[in-house]
Amino acid sequence: VHPDRIATIGHDGGAANAVAFRPDGRILAAGYDDRTFSLWDVTNPTGPILAGSFSQPGGAVRSVAFSPDGRILAAGHSDLVTSLWDVSNPSRAVHIVDLPDHNGAVESVAFSPNGRLLAVGNGIFILWDVSDPARPIRLASLTSHTELPVYSVAFRPDGHVVATASADRTVILWDVSDPVHVTEIASPLTRHAGPVLAVAFSPDGQTLATASYDKTVVLWNVTDPAHPRPTGTIAGHTEPTTSVAFGGDGHLLAVASADKTVTLWNVTDRTHPKREATLTGHTGPVLSVAFNSTGRTLATAGGDQTVQVWQMGGSPP
């Protein structure tokens, strides 16, 4: 892997907290401290073009996620609200509704693979039915974690399992096959010595990566979610690891850290991850990483108010 930085997107309104690619890879969303999110067309060969920047009264945008069809964007805010937007036309995003009654800053949002459910991580883990985005229904509010907040939520690619990461240093796997009756699958995953800040499933759903304040990432075999087991550990960062993302086929893992770097790891052998590259260029903590669907383009967001776009191995985005 020979990543090249192809763009740096600046912003005057504070930290870039979160990035997410639309499933088709053509649009990149970035959320910022100044309550805004921006949509960027990343298909332009000379660099990303701003499609639109949108805001509403409320708190910083801490998390962003596209629905599987790319039509809806969920934005999690620091003022306890998740907002849903129609982004069918990226230059004219339309605010649909706010999901209220959360128990803390919305640290993470994730759509189920079929787009019908939205998982929200904040003071607790909340599951919403958003099959009609204008009339969301709150299905479950789950509080098994012993310390809050819930920093990160992720759906397994089959949509039946959600992983939640918490300040209590654990990750819990939930069976959401029946989203009205969500159940905890197994004992919490305990391997980290600090709060767990991020979780991500591999594309085949068999591996879970967990990133922690303890500066490490642990890889878990979750083929049988009732019996998860750690397979490998990624170390080497000098500050907390803040975000993780698998590239297209699941063989590459990006790890963001508060030490201002992103490392890329070959995780083909889950027991012995190999460092492929270290990305430098941010002048503040790196807070979020996201691959496009092919794994050829990586976006990184930082406390230095920039989003950087990287190309893997010279492949076109």
Side-chain angles (χ1 to χ4, degrees):
V1 178
H2 302 286
D4 298 311
R5 184 169 53 214
I6 57 174
T8 297
I9 301 168
H11 187 78
D12 293 331
N17 296 316
V19 280
F21 280 97
R22 199 170 70 181
D24 65 5
R26 300 173 66 87
I27 298 292
L28 174 68
Y32 297 96
D33 257 357
D34 65 355
R35 306 190 300 273
T36 67
F37 69 87
S38 299
L39 300 176
W40 297 84
D41 181 340
V42 291
T43 63
N44 181 47
T46 60
I49 297 173
L50 181 64
S53 184
F54 309 94
S55 65
Q56 65 170 128
V61 179
R62 301 286 283 270
S63 48
V64 287
F66 283 98
S67 61
D69 64 7
R71 298 175 62 85
I72 305 296
L73 184 85
H77 300 263
S78 63
D79 65 344
L80 327 187
V81 164
T82 301
S83 58
L84 298 183
W85 298 74
D86 183 335
V87 291
S88 306
N89 179 348
S91 63
R92 293 182 179 166
V94 178
H95 178 246
I96 302 172
V97 71
D98 288 334
L99 312 182
D101 303 327
H102 293 144
N103 300 68
V106 180
E107 305 285 354
S108 182
V109 286
F111 282 95
S112 61
N114 64 10
R116 298 176 65 89
L117 302 175
L118 181 73
V120 175
N122 54 89
I124 55 177
F125 161 42
I126 297 175
L127 202 61
W128 293 85
D129 180 339
V130 290
S131 46
D132 178 355
R135 296 173 181 81
I137 301 168
R138 184 166 170 153
L139 299 176
S141 304
L142 301 151
T143 55
S144 289
H145 284 289
T146 59
E147 288 183 50
L148 303 172
V150 172
Y151 283 114
S152 184
V153 292
F155 278 91
R156 197 171 69 178
D158 65 2
H160 297 312
V161 176
V162 168
T164 60
S166 163
D168 67 7
R169 308 181 182 187
T170 75
V171 172
I172 294 178
L173 299 178
W174 306 85
D175 183 342
V176 295
S177 304
D178 177 356
V180 179
H181 301 99
V182 177
T183 57
E184 196 173 329
I185 296 175
S187 299
L189 284 61
T190 56
R191 191 75 173 211
H192 286 292
V196 187
L197 303 178
V199 286
F201 282 98
S202 60
D204 64 7
Q206 295 181 8
T207 301
L208 180 72
T210 61
S212 170
Y213 199 82
D214 68 9
K215 309 174 190 176
T216 71
V217 171
V218 176
L219 300 177
W220 302 81
N221 183 325
V222 289
T223 306
D224 176 2
H227 299 94
R229 55 184 179 84
T231 59
T233 300
I234 290 170
H237 282 286
T238 58
E239 296 290 341
T241 52
T242 55
S243 182
V244 281
F246 283 93
D249 59 5
H251 295 303
L252 194 64
L253 182 73
V255 178
S257 172
D259 67 9
K260 307 177 187 177
T261 71
V262 175
T263 50
L264 299 177
W265 297 80
N266 184 327
V267 292
T268 305
D269 179 350
R270 303 294 205 235
T271 59
H272 297 96
K274 294 194 303 184
R275 190 193 297 235
E276 293 279 349
T278 300
L279 309 184
T280 59
H282 282 288
T283 59
V286 187
L287 304 174
S288 179
V289 286
F291 278 103
N292 72 346
S293 56
T294 65
R296 294 176 179 174
T297 304
L298 176 73
T300 63
D304 60 1
Q305 306 186 51
T306 72
V307 170
Q308 301 191 7
V309 184
W310 306 78
Q311 198 167 292
M312 303 295 116
S315 302

